[in-house]
Amino acid sequence: MATVAELITYPVKGCAGTSVSSTELTPAGLAHDRAFMVVGIDGVYRSQRRDPRLALVRPTVSADGRTLTLAPATAAGPPGEAHAGARGEAYGEVRVAVTTTAPRRDVDLFGTAYQGIDQGDEAAAWLSDFLGVPSRLVRVPPEHDRKTDGVTPGTSAYADSSAVHLLTRASCALLGTRLAEHGADPLPLDRFRPNIVVDSTPGEDGAENTAEDWAAEPHAEDRVRRAAMGSAELGYTKLAVRCAVTLVDQEAGARGGPEPLRTLATYRRAPSGGVVFGAKFSVTRPGTLSVGDEVAVAEWGDAEV
């Protein structure tokens, strides 16, 4: 059957993700997902497209949501040691007391104006030094009322679009095969920064490839229109159009070669343009998700690719 294999939340947009075994699924996605965003002094969002070192910032949020910790990712050096910033300086971690009452400021996400709550000078100084460019950290305000588009409208915090990005391991396995055919090395799943990873697992009787085992088919997520998992439900919005972030080595914090976009372009071109990999969803029923939950599809649609 199809089950949740991984749950990954990205508290700060563009920064490293955190795998969790269980989480609340809110109307805006996994708990704390993209609730914070790094912006320039002008309020424009920072992305790995232009600032790939964001991948080396590992944020964690306390259980009560009141403290955000920023630390260099483990790959930047041994745990517990200071790590190097953009100019070689040594950096430890910084703990930020999250505020929702500070003055709002204008921020820009893909040319759309939103509001953000500035999280103070200490976080800004740490990020500016580590990234090598003047930066501020903002949090999405409680009154944030973003409307996301797609087949099933919804909301999200500072995600690119819809609240949830879902991807199957079967799709990744097929990509690995295609990469090998082009003489390229396999790429880790973190290049695609999904929230929910679904895998095909044997049922209680060991049976495979049943109607419930839809995740065994590569890109079956393209056709999912409504799916329930845990106590939550998702509604399909659109396919995930891939961008230059997939070219960034998430462990090195630097752009690599032309893969996976070069290979994806040979078999995953969307009729409307761009290459697609994985699917986006809105949250139609909030609830609790856990690794191991069955992903039951209630409605199917036609594939767009």
Side-chain angles (χ1 to χ4, degrees), residues 69-73 80-85 89-95 126 130:
T69 301
L70 302 176
E81 294 187 5
H83 310 308
E89 302 93 336
Y91 288 92
E93 63 182 33
V94 60
R95 286 184 171 85
W126 192 95
F130 191 83

Side-chain angles (χ1 to χ4, degrees), residues 1-2 170 200-203 205-218:
M1 63 180 179
S200 168
T201 58
D205 59 357
E208 296 184 6
N209 298 320
T210 65
E212 292 77 23
D213 193 28
W214 61 267
E217 175 191 344

Side-chain angles (χ1 to χ4, degrees), residues 3 6 24 33 35 41 73 89 95 100 102 133 201 212 276 278-279 283 289:
T3 61
E6 294 182 61
E24 290 299 310
D33 189 65
I41 301 304
E89 302 93 336
R95 286 184 171 85
T100 59
V133 287
T201 58
E212 292 77 23
V276 292
V283 178
L289 292 182

Side-chain angles (χ1 to χ4, degrees), residues 15-16 24-25 28 35 55 64 66 70 75 108 117 140 151 156-157 165 169 213 228 239 274 280 283 294:
C15 295
E24 290 299 310
L25 186 65
D64 61 9
R66 296 180 179 178
L70 302 176
D108 180 297
I117 306 171
V140 67
V151 175
S156 66
H165 174 210
R169 283 185 174 167
D213 193 28
L239 296 179
K280 300 286 188 76
V283 178
E294 181 180 359

